[in-house]
């Protein structure tokens, strides 16, 4: 099984040039793409802030000997003041893959660690949990899966009230859930869905985010459609996820991002979404996109805001495919949504073209066969915005064309008249030249491609 | 993603017709590749996330619950300690439990005088997994269920049999207690595992939903055989017959 490789340990001793970082990043991306194509894309999360004690996590060595790890292992077995210090060192050392391999091979090391994990001394318990998190985060299953015997305890502790500890347990579970179907089956049998439902209602933002992350790992699975999504729907988890798609939520954007991914996995599985629509999913998604659009327009941008935009756009895009209540719920917000989408498409065209692409897909689904949306586009004078996208490659131009072509003929005629100046003609020419010329089409076919009813005005334009 | 087919350059081919339609994209669709990669880079911490949370630092302080003297140097450790060991506390025996579910079960099975009577007539032992609604006639049946259906280990720490009436005076600490500041609440739990008079009530198997019991090195089952320093500890799953002592003996109190 091939997995994308992780970023590795951050070593403060080595000086990394910018080029080196870029090269590493490109390599990482290639590996991830390959893994995705093979349907083996597995990623885990280890929030660095969670692994500190309030102090910086320093990694002093880049390597460690078997003897050193063995010593630490021996020290943690003896009940003494030294135990906690040894655990701390062990935790640091377990950031190194070789140390992980050594540790898990010692006899009974995992039983010892899990025993400490269930200890009744807070600091010991927390430290042991952090060690387990390091192990669970490994991309080597022979290391991460050693944490499996801890799952009944992990799930039991999720009902507890200690926020940081719960958060740790959730990330361990989420990382394990990403591993394979057998692990997920075990977790399902042990009641993971209901346990996550409780955590999603926690008053602590970090816990909610961690719960949503773990849930997203369950939902991303290949088998999610048959086994996991029905359980999630039955356990009535979705109202919590939907409620958290809220910019004004006290829990911040990161939590909303995780919830958005959960919802995307559910919606894109093809399951019947009526219950989620009745739980206000459309409204929340629409309002969120509008708010994000306004924020970007007014210049209040946060780094990474696109992380929230496109999973929400995906949800909405798939939800409105079928006729029914979904589409009617978007109608009242038509202008605002369109404005937001046009903001997104222009804003991210250069930096994150996939965001633009996905927003255009949403736009297609909004406008296809929908006169109201189409005319809204014209009234808001958004046509030039989308026309601008046409020269760009990567699937965006075809999408823009498709969106453009969704518009009804009469409205198109109005627009052409309204814009009956040089600009739109030049753009239309550009469109024809750039996109259609190399296929040597004739005007008639070209017009038919766009739409029978708007072919006529285009003839007018091209007839020189 | 399916798009209308490309224009045909041959003049004799049938005229192309575009029809606008909505497109549903499943999660594995190639169209989502770039976005998925970006998401995974975020998970791997390779790109900035949307805001980080600062955790405040404090100097060392002590737990304020009467009788508990554990020290902490971070708020989180303290919060964890408080929330784990001073919540879900049984008012009768002062044991604390990791969850209210386990506490409820404990109170029912240990402190409810009607429990034994009812248990004789109907299934009263509730499954430890909160979302499971099964009930059982006996603690052993429940344990079998936990192992078979939920994949629990047979030495699950929160499924220990109830000890017969114990000697309250037996407060000796195990020689391997770790912390100098072992709290009283810890002592209480220790005493459970000290030697028990065998002649009392027959070992009725009820659940002991104890929060991480005893002291640290407490690791039942296989650990025992490996290291001589723990040879006095007997795995909970082993029973030496009626009237024998179950649980963990204190070496100093060997009869």
């Amino acid at each position: 099984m091939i997995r994308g490789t992780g970023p590795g340990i951050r070593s403060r001793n080595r000086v990394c040039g910018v080029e080196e970082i870029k090269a590493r990043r490109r390599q990482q991306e290639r590996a991830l793409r390959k893994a995705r194509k093979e349907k083996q894309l597995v990623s885990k999360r280890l929030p660095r802030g969670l692994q500190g004690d309030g102090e910086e996590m320093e990694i002093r060595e880049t390597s460690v000997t078997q003897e050193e790890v063995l010593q630490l292992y021996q020290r943690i077995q003896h009940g003494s003041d030294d135990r906690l210090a040894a655990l701390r060192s062990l935790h640091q050392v377990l950031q190194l893959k070789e140390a992980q391999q050594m540790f898990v091979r010692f006899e009974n090391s995992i039983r010892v660690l899990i025993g400490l994990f269930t200890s009744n001394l807070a600091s010991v318990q927390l430290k042991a949990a952090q060690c387990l998190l390091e192990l669970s985060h490994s991309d080597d299953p022979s290391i991460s899966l050693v944490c499996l015997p801890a799952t009944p305890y992990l799930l039991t502790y999720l009902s507890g009230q200690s926020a940081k500890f719960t958060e740790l347990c959730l990330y361990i579970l989420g990382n394990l859930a990403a591993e394979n179907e057998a692990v997920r089956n075990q977790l399902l049998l042990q009641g993971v869905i209901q346990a996550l439902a409780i955590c999603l209602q926690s008053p602590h933002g970090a816990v909610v985010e961690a719960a949503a992350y773990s849930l997203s790992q369950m939902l991303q699975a290949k088998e999610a459609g048959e086994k996991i999504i029905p359980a999630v729907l039955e356990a009535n988890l979705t109202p919590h996820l939907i409620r958290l798609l809220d910019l004004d939520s006290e829990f911040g954007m990161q939590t909303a991002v995780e919830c958005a991914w959960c919802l995307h996995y559910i919606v894109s599985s093809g399951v019947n979404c009526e219950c989620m629509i009745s739980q206000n999913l459309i409204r929340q998604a629409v309002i969120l996109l509008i708010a994000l659009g306004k924020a970007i327009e007014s210049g209040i941008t946060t780094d990474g805001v696109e992380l929230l935009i496109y999973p929400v756009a995906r949800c909405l895009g798939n939800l409105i495919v079928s006729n029914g209540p979904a589409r009617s719920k978007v109608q009242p917000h038509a202008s605002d949504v369109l404005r937001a989408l046009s903001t997104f498409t222009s804003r991210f065209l250069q930096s994150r073209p996939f965001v633009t692409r996905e927003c255009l897909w949403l736009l297609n689904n909004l406008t296809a066969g929908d006169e109201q949306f189409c005319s809204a586009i014209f009234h808001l004078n958004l046509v030039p915005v989308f026309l601008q996208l046409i020269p760009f490659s990567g699937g965006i131009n075809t999408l823009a064309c498709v969106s453009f072509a969704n518009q009804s003929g009469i409205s198109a005629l109005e627009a052409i008249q309204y814009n009956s100046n040089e600009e739109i003609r030049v753009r239309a020419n550009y469109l024809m030249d750039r996109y259609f010329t190399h296929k040597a089409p004739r005007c008639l076919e070209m017009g038919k491609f766009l739409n029978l009813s708007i072919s006529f005005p285009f003839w007018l334009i091209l007839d020189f | 993603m399916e798009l209308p087919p490309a224009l045909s350059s041959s003049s004799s081919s049938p005229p192309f017709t575009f029809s606008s339609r909505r497109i549903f994209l499943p999660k594995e669709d190639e169209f989502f590749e770039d976005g998925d990669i970006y998401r995974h880079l975020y998970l791997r911490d390779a790109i900035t996330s949307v805001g980080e949370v600062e955790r405040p630092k404090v100097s060392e302080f002590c737990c304020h619950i009467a009788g508990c003297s554990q020290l902490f140097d971070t708020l989180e450790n303290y919060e964890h300690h408080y929330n784990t060991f001073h919540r879900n506390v049984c008012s009768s025996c002062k044991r604390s439990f990791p969850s209210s579910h386990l506490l409820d079960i404990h109170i029912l099975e240990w402190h409810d005088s009607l429990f034994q009577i009812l248990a004789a007539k109907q299934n009263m032992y509730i499954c430890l997994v909160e979302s499971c609604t099964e009930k059982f006639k006996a603690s052993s049946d429940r344990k079998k269920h936990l192992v078979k259906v939920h994949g629990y280990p047979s030495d699950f720490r929160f499924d220990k049999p109830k000890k017969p009436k114990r000697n309250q005076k037996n407060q000796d600490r195990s020689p391997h207690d770790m912390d100098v500041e072992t709290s009283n609440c810890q002592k209480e739990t220790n005493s459970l595992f000290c030697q028990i008079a065998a002649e009392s009530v027959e070992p009725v198997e009820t659940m002991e939903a104890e929060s991480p019991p005893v002291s640290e090195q407490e690791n039942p089952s296989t650990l025992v055989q490996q290291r001589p320093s723990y040879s006095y500890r007997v795995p909970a799953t082993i029973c030496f017959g009626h009237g024998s002592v179950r649980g963990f003996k204190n070496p100093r109190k060997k009869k």
Side-chain angles (χ1 to χ4, degrees), chain A residues 156-160, chain B residues 88 96-104 128 130:
Chain A
T156 303
Y157 288 136
L158 291 190
S159 312
Chain B
N88 298 319
S96 70
F97 297 86
S99 68
S100 52
H101 178 68
L102 291 176
L103 172 64
D104 291 341
L128 301 189
E130 215 163 327

Side-chain angles (χ1 to χ4, degrees), chain A residues 334-373:
Chain A
S335 327
D336 291 330
V337 169
L338 291 172
R339 227 180 251 121
L341 284 176
S342 82
T343 305
F344 299 149
T345 48
S346 15
R347 168 84 165 74
F348 293 107
L349 182 56
Q350 303 289 353
S351 56
R352 307 270 173 240
F354 67 88
V355 177
T356 302
R357 201 179 309 128
E358 295 190 17
C359 289
L360 283 176
W361 161 65
L362 171 56
L363 186 67
N364 171 68
N365 283 0
L366 283 170
T367 55
D370 192 318
E371 269 192 28
Q372 200 169 338
F373 263 98

Side-chain angles (χ1 to χ4, degrees), chain A residues 141-338:
Chain A
S142 72
I143 295 174
S144 53
L145 291 177
V146 300
C147 302
L148 272 186
T151 54
Y153 297 108
L154 288 163
L155 288 166
T156 303
Y157 288 136
L158 291 190
S159 312
Q161 284 150 303
S162 164
K164 175 162 182 176
F165 190 60
T166 307
E167 195 189 345
L168 279 165
C169 293
L170 283 166
Y171 279 110
I172 298 171
L173 282 167
N175 289 343
L176 290 176
E179 283 289 349
N180 61 48
E181 190 169 347
V183 175
R184 289 186 285 271
N185 286 342
Q186 177 172 322
L187 292 176
L188 285 170
L189 285 174
Q190 292 171 349
V192 67
I193 300 295
Q194 292 80 355
L196 289 177
I198 295 173
C199 292
L200 281 177
Q201 299 170 69
S202 163
H204 303 279
V207 172
V208 180
E209 183 186 339
Y213 159 73
S214 301
L215 186 61
S216 76
Q217 295 286 46
M218 295 287 293
L219 290 169
Q220 198 194 356
K222 280 175 261 189
E223 79 278 7
E226 307 116 49
K227 297 188 189 172
I228 300 168
I229 291 176
V232 168
L233 291 173
E234 208 184 296
N236 212 25
L237 267 170
T238 46
H240 303 300
L241 296 170
I242 294 169
R243 168 178 54 88
L244 290 160
L245 280 189
D246 180 1
L247 270 192
D248 294 327
S249 145
E250 54 195 303
F251 298 141
M253 247 191 252
Q254 284 182 189
T255 306
V257 169
E258 299 305 314
C259 295
W261 281 98
C262 290
L263 289 164
H264 159 58
Y265 292 138
I266 298 176
V267 170
S268 63
S269 70
V271 77
N272 184 320
C273 295
E274 269 172 29
C275 61
M276 292 197 281
I277 294 171
S278 63
Q279 287 159 6
N280 270 332
L281 176 52
I282 305 264
R283 186 177 174 275
Q284 289 285 85
V286 163
I287 288 179
L288 184 63
L289 288 176
I290 293 171
L292 288 171
K294 288 201 172 117
I296 292 178
E297 257 177 71
S298 54
I300 317 165
T301 44
T302 358
D303 266 343
V305 67
E306 69 274 16
L307 283 165
L308 185 50
I309 293 172
Y310 70 98
V312 175
R314 288 183 184 191
C315 284
L316 202 52
N318 274 333
L319 278 169
I320 56 173
V321 168
S322 49
N323 288 315
R327 300 181 66 82
S328 58
K329 291 202 190 260
V330 193
Q331 291 294 1
H333 309 273
S335 327
D336 291 330
V337 169
L338 291 172

Side-chain angles (χ1 to χ4, degrees), chain A residues 5 10 33 42-43 54 77 83 108 111 118-119 125-126 162 189-190 254 306 310 318 321 365 406, chain B residues 20 22-23 25 29 33-35 38 40 44-45 51 57 77 80 150 155 157 212 216 226-227 230:
Chain A
T5 49
R10 288 197 203 95
R33 280 181 204 283
V42 172
S43 291
Q77 290 172 57
R83 170 179 279 176
N108 272 319
R111 288 203 76 96
T118 55
S119 128
Q125 192 173 27
L126 278 172
S162 164
L189 285 174
Q190 292 171 349
Q254 284 182 189
E306 69 274 16
Y310 70 98
N318 274 333
V321 168
N365 283 0
N406 281 339
Chain B
S20 69
R22 299 166 220 149
I23 301 158
L25 296 174
D29 199 288
E33 179 180 310
D34 284 354
Y38 197 67
H40 279 255
R44 289 159 184 266
D45 216 14
K57 303 183 185 185
N77 286 2
H80 171 51
H150 298 295
D155 62 351
R157 193 158 276 209
E216 311 328 283
Q226 310 296 1
R227 282 170 285 134
Y230 299 106

Side-chain angles (χ1 to χ4, degrees), chain B residues 69-83:
Chain B
S69 50
Q70 283 199 38
L71 281 179
F72 306 95
D73 59 1
T74 67
L75 276 176
E76 273 138 3
N77 286 2
Y78 174 63
E79 188 216 12
H80 171 51
H81 162 80
Y82 181 88
N83 284 323

